[in-house]
């Protein structure tokens, strides 16, 4: 050991400070002078074999602790400073050893940061490779399905189409309905008188795989009896809209700028669906009723004789200039988390809200079918939202068929809480908001029990001695 000349001054100083001793007190216990101990702590004198044994005997110090792992840390620091990024900052071996000796915690911190940096660089490299493999700028857009293009266009823009709204309101007024009149009867009568179209409901065995079919030869619109009365009304309203509001739908379709014929056909269907809602729930009357009812969806569905889904969907459309409602957005998913629809009064807030967090009450809704669940949620950046979720049952299933059940989330900024009836539940409960994120891969919320995937922005397993609350947690 004497030949190796062990210089362990910083470690001796840490032992002394840990015991709360002065240099004089430790020197007296070791039978050396305070000045000699001072030289040892400043690495100007090596530890002798006798002194090592004395330290071990008097203070029960492990000899391995005195010899330490500075050499290993110095080697790892050498790897750090060998990175091309630090080409102009290359310290010598002695300097690295001194850093590892004098400040081992700082050295380990540097090593851990560098490890995180390398892992993050590797992740970004993998992502870049994946994008390159898919074509990214050149061919990625070409590989998308037409429905992807349509969804992207509709989700990014406000769910409001002025031409359709104005035309639908005028058409509804032209039907001459009085209070209590049935809209479905009026629309069927209009289709028959104006276009010779007869509406008929067919049994499941006659249309086992269709919800609607228009026969141009016989001028009949067939609807499946699987559909509820509300969904049948929407199908009739869609057919009427495609005839009465054809010019307005075409104008809004052209404004979307869809690139393919199939995408345009899908876009036309979505706009016809929008027009049907505008016809079933005329803008002015619906906005006034929504404000009076403080956006209570169950009251609105009863007042306009529509389904919960239709009433909630309509709330995302109330953005007429000068007559705007609370800017709601909505998201519909199934048991497996597949997303069917996303829309918003100002576009779906993908960047701010995301909608992919497993802690959202839209997922809990499946275990409480038919119940309305209300939550106040908070993003990592402090943005808050009020969310309302409920399950929806699809078309009627037969005995040997599984029910199609989805869940609908409708939300708004928490700042509108006092204008919405559901805000009362949050205020009365007095509970803190639920901490959520946009999606696990982009969320840096630590200690999340619901985390389902590791974050792209944080490497895992930097310290084998520490384990997070989930398999994908990070430090």
């Amino acid at each position: 050991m004497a030949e190796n000349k062990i210089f362990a001054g910083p470690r001796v100083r840490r032992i002394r400070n840990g015991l709360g001793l002065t240099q004089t007190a430790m020197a007296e216990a070791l039978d050396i002078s305070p000045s000699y101990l001072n030289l040892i702590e400043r690495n100007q004198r090596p530890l002798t074999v006798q002194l090592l044994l004395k330290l071990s005997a008097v203070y029960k110090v492990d000899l391995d602790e005195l010899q330490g792992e500075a050499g290993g840390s110095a080697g790892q620091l050498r790897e750090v400073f060998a990175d091309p990024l630090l080409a102009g900052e290359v310290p010598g071996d002695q300097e690295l050893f001194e850093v590892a000796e004098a400040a081992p915690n700082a050295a380990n911190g540097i090593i851990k940061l560098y490890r995180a940096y390398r892992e993050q660089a590797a992740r970004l490299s993998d992502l870049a490779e994946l994008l390159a493999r898919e074509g990214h700028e050149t061919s990625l857009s070409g590989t998308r399905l037409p429905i992807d293009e349509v969804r992207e266009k509709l989700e990014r823009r406000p769910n409001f189409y002025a031409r359709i709204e104005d035309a639908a309101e005028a058409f509804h007024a032209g039907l001459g309905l009085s209070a209590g009149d049935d809209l479905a009867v009026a629309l069927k009568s209009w289709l028959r008188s104006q276009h010779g179209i007869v509406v008929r409901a067919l049994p499941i065995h006659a249309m086992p795989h269709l919800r609607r079919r228009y026969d141009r030869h016989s001028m009949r619109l067939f609807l499946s009896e699987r559909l509820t009365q509300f969904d049948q009304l929407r199908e009739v309203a869609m057919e009427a809209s495609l005839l009465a509001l054809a010019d307005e739908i075409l104008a809004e379709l052209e404004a979307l700028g869809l690139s393919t014929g199939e995408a345009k056909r899908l876009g036309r269907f979505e706009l016809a669906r929008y027009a049907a809602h505008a016809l079933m729930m005329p803008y002015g009357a619906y906005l006034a009723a929504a404000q009076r009812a403080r956006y209570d969806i169950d009251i609105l569905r009863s007042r306009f004789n529509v389904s919960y889904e239709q009433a909630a969907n309509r709330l995302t459309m109330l953005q007429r200039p000068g007559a705007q409602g609370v800017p709601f957005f909505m998201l519909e998913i199934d048991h497996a988390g597949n997303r069917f629809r996303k829309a918003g009064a100002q576009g779906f807030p993908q960047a701010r809200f995301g909608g992919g967090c497993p802690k959202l009450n839209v997922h809990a809704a499946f275990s409480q079918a038919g119940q309305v669940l209300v939550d106040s949620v908070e993003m990592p950046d402090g943005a808050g939202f009020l969310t309302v979720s409920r399950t929806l049952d699809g078309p009627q299933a037969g005995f040997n068929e599984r029910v199609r059940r989805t869940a609908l989330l409708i939300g708004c900024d928490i700042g509108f809480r006092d204008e919405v009836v559901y805000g009362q539940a949050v205020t009365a409960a007095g509970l803190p908001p639920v901490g959520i994120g946009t999606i696990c891969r982009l969320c840096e919320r630590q200690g999340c029990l619901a985390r389902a995937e590791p974050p792209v922005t944080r490497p895992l397993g930097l310290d084998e001695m520490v384990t997070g609350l989930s398999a994908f947690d990070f430090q």
Side-chain angles (χ1 to χ4, degrees):
M1 280 189 251
E3 294 178 359
N4 292 334
K5 291 187 177 181
I6 299 173
F7 290 87
R11 288 196 289 277
V12 172
R13 185 187 305 114
R14 285 200 299 276
I15 292 171
R16 180 174 60 78
N17 290 334
L19 295 170
L21 300 174
T22 64
Q23 282 187 338
T24 300
M26 176 174 267
E28 182 177 350
L30 297 175
D31 291 328
I32 59 175
S33 67
S35 60
Y36 186 70
L37 179 59
N38 182 268
L39 291 173
I40 290 174
E41 289 188 356
R42 289 160 54 194
N43 267 350
Q44 294 183 4
R45 292 290 187 277
L47 286 172
T48 64
V49 173
Q50 292 80 4
L51 197 52
L52 281 171
L53 295 175
K54 192 78 170 178
L55 278 166
S56 177
V58 174
Y59 297 112
K60 309 300 180 186
V61 175
D62 189 347
L63 292 180
D64 290 336
E65 181 183 351
L66 285 171
Q67 295 181 64
E69 298 178 353
S73 295
Q76 291 176 299
L77 285 173
R78 191 179 297 110
E79 179 186 352
V80 171
F81 284 94
D83 192 288
L85 186 65
L86 301 174
E89 306 289 341
V90 183
D93 287 350
Q94 182 59 34
E95 187 176 352
L96 292 176
F97 188 89
E98 289 175 0
V99 170
E101 275 283 322
N105 292 333
N108 287 334
I110 293 172
I111 293 167
K112 187 174 287 188
L113 279 174
Y114 181 71
R115 192 183 306 163
Y117 157 74
R118 289 296 301 272
E119 291 187 20
Q120 180 66 12
R123 286 166 177 261
L124 292 177
S125 177
D126 291 343
L127 179 61
E129 181 182 351
L130 175 63
L131 292 175
R133 194 183 308 137
E134 293 294 337
H136 192 36
E137 295 289 340
T138 55
S139 64
L140 183 59
S141 60
T143 62
R144 290 186 307 166
L145 295 174
I147 187 62
D148 297 325
E149 181 186 5
V150 174
R151 284 175 174 171
E152 182 179 298
K153 292 281 188 180
L154 299 182
E155 290 169 11
R156 289 185 176 182
R157 56 151 292 147
N159 193 25
F160 176 78
Y161 300 88
R163 298 183 186 91
I164 293 176
E165 291 288 356
D166 294 342
E169 212 164 17
F171 178 56
H172 187 278
L175 292 175
L177 294 173
S178 302
D181 286 352
D182 191 327
L183 177 61
V185 172
L187 289 176
K188 290 176 182 179
S189 176
W190 182 86
L191 287 171
R192 179 190 287 269
S193 63
Q194 299 297 318
H195 297 277
I197 298 174
V198 177
V199 179
R200 285 190 56 192
L202 291 183
I204 294 176
H205 67 82
M207 285 204 315
H209 307 300
L210 301 175
R211 59 186 294 133
R212 72 187 293 267
R213 181 172 70 84
Y214 175 58
D215 188 335
R216 291 187 177 89
H217 301 289
S218 64
M219 300 293 286
R220 287 183 294 181
L221 175 64
F222 298 113
L223 304 178
S224 172
E225 65 178 10
R226 289 179 182 269
L227 302 180
T228 66
Q229 60 171 326
F230 309 118
D231 288 336
Q232 288 190 23
L233 170 59
R234 179 162 56 194
E235 296 298 334
V236 173
M238 283 180 64
E239 192 64 34
S241 297
L242 287 169
L243 294 170
L245 282 62
D247 293 340
E248 290 77 15
I249 290 175
L250 178 60
E252 295 289 3
L253 180 62
E254 292 299 322
L256 290 178
L258 299 172
S259 62
T260 66
E262 184 178 350
K264 290 178 181 179
R265 288 192 295 274
L266 292 170
R268 182 169 178 265
F269 174 85
E270 292 296 333
L271 291 176
R273 183 187 179 93
Y274 179 98
H277 288 152
L279 188 56
M280 295 160 62
M281 298 162 274
Y283 193 99
Y286 195 78
L287 175 62
Q291 291 174 334
R292 285 196 302 271
R294 300 185 63 219
Y295 301 93
D296 188 320
I297 299 172
D298 284 304
I299 289 179
L300 292 171
R301 66 186 281 203
S302 177
R303 185 165 301 170
F304 287 85
N305 195 30
V306 294
S307 69
Y308 181 94
E309 177 269 326
Q310 292 165 354
N313 195 343
R314 187 60 170 148
L315 289 180
T316 68
M317 306 174 185
L318 304 180
Q319 289 298 293
R320 176 180 282 171
Q324 298 172 325
V326 169
F328 286 98
F329 58 87
M330 72 171 187
L331 165 72
E332 184 180 356
I333 66 170
D334 66 6
H335 285 86
N338 299 308
R339 287 160 180 78
F340 293 103
R341 287 183 296 155
K342 292 191 290 187
Q346 298 170 350
F348 185 79
Q350 185 68 38
R352 295 180 61 229
F353 180 76
C357 182
K359 291 193 288 187
L360 288 170
N361 55 14
V362 69
H363 301 287
F366 288 106
S367 63
Q368 303 176 62
Q371 298 297 308
V372 176
L373 307 182
V374 180
D375 270 339
S376 168
V377 300
E378 185 177 77
M379 304 298 292
D381 64 359
F385 297 91
L386 178 68
T387 64
V388 182
S389 296
R390 182 188 185 278
T391 55
L392 307 173
D393 286 341
Q396 179 61 48
F399 171 72
N400 61 340
E401 295 178 307
R402 186 160 293 177
V403 175
R404 177 186 182 272
R405 177 167 289 156
T406 60
L408 183 76
L409 177 148
I410 184 166
C412 65
D413 192 280
I414 195 64
F416 295 98
R417 157 172 46 188
D418 294 336
E419 299 180 42
V420 181
V421 67
Y422 305 105
Q424 294 176 348
V426 173
T427 304
L431 297 175
V434 178
I436 67 167
T438 52
I439 190 171
C440 287
R441 282 296 177 102
L442 299 177
C443 179
E444 296 189 356
R445 191 182 291 281
Q446 282 188 280
C448 179
L449 297 175
R451 180 172 289 284
E453 291 184 308
V456 174
T457 55
R458 296 281 185 170
L460 305 179
L462 290 179
D463 190 341
E464 293 82 356
M465 301 297 107
V466 178
T467 303
L469 290 174
S470 79
F472 306 115
D473 214 345
F474 56 92
Q475 298 172 40

